[in-house]
Amino acid sequence: MKKILLSSFTIIFFLVNSFSQQVVFSVESPSIIAGDYDFTISSDAQVAATWNSPDMSDTANAVMDTLMFVEDGTPGLNAQGNPISQEGCDSLINDLTGKIAVIYRNTCQFGTKSLNAQNAGAVAVIIINREPGTLLMNGGDDGLNVNIPVVFIDNISGTTIVNEMANGPVVAFIGTRYFANNLTINSSDIIRPRAASTPASFAQDNTEYDVQIGSWVVNAGTDSTNAILNAKITFGGTTLYDVPSASTPLLPGDSAYFALPTFSQASYSPGMYNITYSVDTTGDEFIADNEISQDFHISPTKFSNVPLDSNENMVLTPYYRPSGATGSVTMCAAFQDPNASRMAAMGMSFAAVVDGGDLTNRYFSISASEWNDVFTDLDDPAADILQLNTVSVGEFTFPNDSAYQEVYVPFVPPVALFDNQRYLFCVNTFDTDVYIGFDNSIDYNQNVNEVYKQPIYAVENNGNWSINSFGTDVTAGVSVELTTNLNVQEDELFSIDAYPNPANNVVTIPLKGYLGKGSLNIMDVTGKIISTSTVNVNNLMTVDVTNISNGNYIFDLNLEDGRSTKFNIVISK
């Protein structure tokens, strides 16, 4: 069945689906921590082929039991302060029969530790991340021998559950439940802003910037019901858009697409906006899947397809590299704008991590390239990456292990942009154990496949390029710093080689040939300004960092002659 209905608020498309129930991970008891938790699972479509885990959308495979830590007898604590014995990398010495095993992530493969738990009698596995966020688990060498469900949760959720386990039994549920009344909206089914952060110079009014609004709604319940979709956009506590659809009947298993009016403003103030889709929860028996929310920015200077925090920094997880990559690996953000010439690209930010090691002395290069393949959208057979013209580069060597922390690298020279020209802004490594930061908090599926149909990111693996190849539910963690100062070739300071780096008490910044004043902002990795000062320069300048804590910092230097630069300094005492 497929039909189109018109109303004053919405255009609705209907499509009959088979039941699409929501797989959940929830704590059933005690009540103090009961509820649903974010997770990934071994039966996720992207990694299911690396496991032999059951299909958890089948209610017959649901698991509910008491949690229990694994124990393999290995002495000592890991870097996070947790017992190494509870990483489960060796054969277990405790009996997990009928229990859901709890395991810390660290050094060995997901499949290996899960198989050890299965061999000890566990009916399911929960792996706790060692840092914020979740990722998709590849089963590795032993995954195909694991026939129980394996769940992965973030470290904050893990801490909540582990702390309660110390007080008594914790019971969890993994699987699918049927509900009579259960309307659902999925992350992959909503239209999102074209980019998570758009520079204000490209969004001056409603002729230059708007957001199409729409989403699928699924009746995942067993009863017929009426669906009302609502979309709300707020800025600084003020509601700018709050539009409901008409009430529309949905049979069990039906899906309906609701197209609401486009959001547009006569002008846009810079700052953080929020868009929230929700479906009416009246009588809904499972409300965890009734709302999806995303922050997006109109920024003075930053372009990003990855959501930014309130300080306009990326919060990245997971970290990826192409499977089996043995040579060059490049991760890029795609960019194109009809008013691009209003700004110039100064540099870009990314984050990385080393598997089982650290980033000290690891070398990365960045590049800005004109993407000259001519195509209309991703439905065009000509959509490919065959013609790249690199217009600027930069390089960065990590002075210490700044794993998971965003670093900024300037382009040398800055990049004058052209209207409607496609660009790729990229970070590259040749190290086979380095992983680049991505974001998995939003899914661009509707944007990419149904609405705008434009590239979000690109990946290069040993000379072979691909577009959005890891899927639309992850996005390359690259943000680009831009400026409206179009004399950047003259005004940018190049080749600043501050020393020592890492620094202890004093940082020396050589500025040969300059005599005068300037201003210096020192920012931490969250973008918070730690120090602001007026500086006097006579060919070089010195900065006292005695009172600044150890960490990674961005120095933002602006001279009174109009020149400026940003560079990274590590403080280590």
Side-chain angles (χ1 to χ4, degrees):
M1 175 184 71
K2 186 174 183 180
K3 58 185 178 182
I4 300 176
L5 299 180
L6 299 178
S7 75
S8 59
F9 285 112
T10 179
I11 302 173
I12 309 170
F13 298 88
F14 282 92
L15 185 65
V16 174
N17 292 331
S18 59
F19 283 105
S20 178
Q21 295 298 322
Q22 185 79 27
V23 178
V24 299
F25 164 62
S26 65
V27 173
E28 303 294 293
S29 65
S31 59
I32 191 171
I33 63 167
D36 298 306
Y37 291 78
D38 289 335
F39 70 102
T40 62
I41 192 167
S42 50
S43 56
D44 283 331
Q46 298 94 321
V47 294
T50 68
W51 299 86
N52 193 31
S53 297
D55 177 7
M56 299 309 291
S57 64
D58 185 343
T59 55
N61 294 323
V63 174
M64 185 167 69
D65 223 305
T66 304
L67 308 189
M68 183 176 182
F69 262 114
V70 301
E71 180 62 56
D72 68 11
T74 304
L77 301 177
N78 62 22
Q80 293 78 46
N82 300 316
I84 297 175
S85 62
Q86 293 175 352
E87 294 177 7
C89 293
D90 295 318
S91 296
L92 303 185
I93 60 175
N94 60 333
D95 184 5
L96 294 169
T97 301
K99 305 296 185 183
I100 298 177
V102 178
I103 310 177
Y104 286 116
R105 177 194 180 195
N106 207 24
T107 53
C108 62
Q109 294 180 351
F110 296 122
T112 299
K113 57 180 64 192
S114 299
L115 181 60
N116 289 338
Q118 176 179 290
N119 290 340
V123 294
V125 170
I126 300 169
I127 298 176
I128 300 173
N129 200 1
R130 60 185 173 226
E131 64 249 352
T134 59
L135 51 78
L136 296 171
M137 299 176 293
N138 189 299
D141 297 334
D142 295 313
L144 292 177
N145 296 315
V146 176
N147 54 30
I148 59 177
V150 181
V151 162
F152 187 80
I153 62 175
D154 66 83
N155 62 339
I156 297 173
S157 298
T159 298
T160 298
I161 293 170
V162 168
N163 288 345
E164 196 57 38
M165 288 174 65
N167 298 327
V170 174
V171 176
F173 173 87
I174 302 169
T176 300
R177 292 167 167 147
Y178 281 113
F179 300 96
N181 189 342
N182 182 21
L183 292 174
T184 299
I185 50 176
N186 298 307
S187 180
S188 61
D189 289 340
I190 68 170
I191 303 177
R192 302 177 181 275
R194 292 178 181 85
S197 180
T198 299
S201 289
F202 303 152
Q204 295 184 358
D205 57 37
N206 56 13
T207 68
E208 297 179 1
Y209 184 85
D210 59 30
V211 179
Q212 293 189 44
I213 307 293
S215 176
W216 287 93
V217 176
V218 179
N219 181 2
T222 57
D223 290 352
S224 297
T225 190
N226 290 324
I228 300 175
L229 178 74
N230 190 85
K232 183 176 182 179
I233 295 178
T234 58
F235 174 76
T238 299
T239 298
L240 305 177
Y241 179 104
D242 192 356
V243 179
S245 73
S247 178
T248 304
L250 283 179
L251 296 173
D254 269 9
S255 298
Y257 181 79
F258 295 78
L260 297 176
T262 297
F263 165 72
S264 66
Q265 300 279 286
S267 62
Y268 299 91
S269 299
M272 179 185 285
Y273 294 71
N274 176 271
I275 180 171
T276 298
Y277 288 93
S278 60
V279 65
D280 180 42
T281 59
T282 303
D284 200 296
E285 299 171 83
F286 184 71
I287 63 173
D289 55 6
N290 289 100
E291 181 176 292
I292 296 174
S293 183
Q294 179 200 330
D295 294 326
F296 63 101
H297 278 78
I298 303 296
S299 167
T301 60
K302 281 196 176 180
F303 167 79
S304 176
N305 290 318
V306 171
L308 307 180
D309 64 17
S310 58
N311 294 311
E312 296 200 350
N313 290 306
M314 298 180 290
V315 180
L316 300 177
T317 187
Y319 287 72
Y320 283 149
R321 64 180 290 107
S323 178
T326 58
S328 172
V329 169
T330 307
M331 308 295 192
C332 309
F335 169 81
Q336 183 183 34
D337 194 274
N339 299 300
S341 63
R342 294 175 183 170
M343 304 191 81
M346 303 295 289
M348 54 170 274
S349 299
F350 69 94
V353 65
V354 173
D355 183 22
D358 69 54
L359 284 165
T360 304
N361 296 323
R362 298 302 183 102
Y363 172 83
F364 292 78
S365 63
I366 66 165
S367 63
S369 297
E370 295 174 344
W371 184 359
N372 291 326
D373 295 85
V374 178
F375 59 94
T376 303
D377 57 33
L378 292 177
D379 286 341
D380 189 331
D384 207 339
I385 306 176
L386 301 174
Q387 301 181 47
L388 292 180
N389 176 37
T390 300
V391 293
S392 188
V393 296
E395 56 185 15
F396 181 74
T397 300
F398 278 86
N400 69 346
D401 185 23
S402 305
Y404 309 110
Q405 297 184 30
E406 180 177 330
V407 295
Y408 172 81
V409 184
F411 289 123
V412 182
V415 183
L417 301 174
F418 295 95
D419 295 345
N420 293 309
Q421 170 69 52
R422 293 187 193 275
Y423 292 90
L424 288 179
F425 295 106
C426 306
V427 55
N428 170 266
T429 178
F430 279 81
D431 292 344
T432 58
D433 55 355
V434 165
Y435 292 73
I436 304 296
F438 273 66
D439 170 78
N440 67 356
S441 67
I442 63 176
D443 190 331
Y444 279 108
N445 175 61
Q446 281 293 307
N447 289 34
V448 168
N449 294 312
E450 301 296 337
V451 183
Y452 306 116
K453 300 185 178 181
Q454 297 300 318
I456 301 297
Y457 67 93
V459 175
E460 177 263 341
N461 179 8
N462 209 22
N464 298 309
W465 286 91
S466 56
I467 302 171
N468 303 336
S469 54
F470 291 160
T472 59
D473 56 347
V474 294
T475 309
V478 170
S479 67
V480 183
E481 183 80 14
L482 299 111
T483 181
T484 54
N485 179 4
L486 300 182
N487 295 315
V488 289
Q489 297 285 352
E490 302 170 4
D491 295 344
E492 177 73 353
L493 291 164
F494 298 127
S495 302
I496 294 296
D497 191 15
Y499 61 88
N501 193 9
N504 188 333
N505 296 315
V506 175
V507 176
T508 299
I509 305 170
L511 294 166
K512 186 176 180 180
Y514 181 74
L515 177 65
K517 294 183 177 181
S519 64
L520 176 67
N521 290 327
I522 301 176
M523 299 173 288
D524 65 16
V525 294
T526 71
K528 179 182 178 181
I529 296 178
I530 302 300
S531 170
T532 298
S533 59
T534 299
V535 294
N536 294 301
V537 181
N538 185 357
N539 289 299
L540 59 80
M541 59 179 287
T542 58
V543 182
D544 185 354
V545 295
T546 304
N547 295 322
I548 298 179
S549 302
N550 290 350
N552 299 313
Y553 297 90
I554 298 173
F555 280 46
D556 183 6
L557 175 63
N558 295 273
L559 302 181
E560 63 181 356
D561 68 359
R563 291 183 295 165
S564 63
T565 190
K566 291 182 180 179
F567 51 92
N568 298 282
I569 292 289
V570 175
I571 297 177
S572 179
K573 301 174 184 178

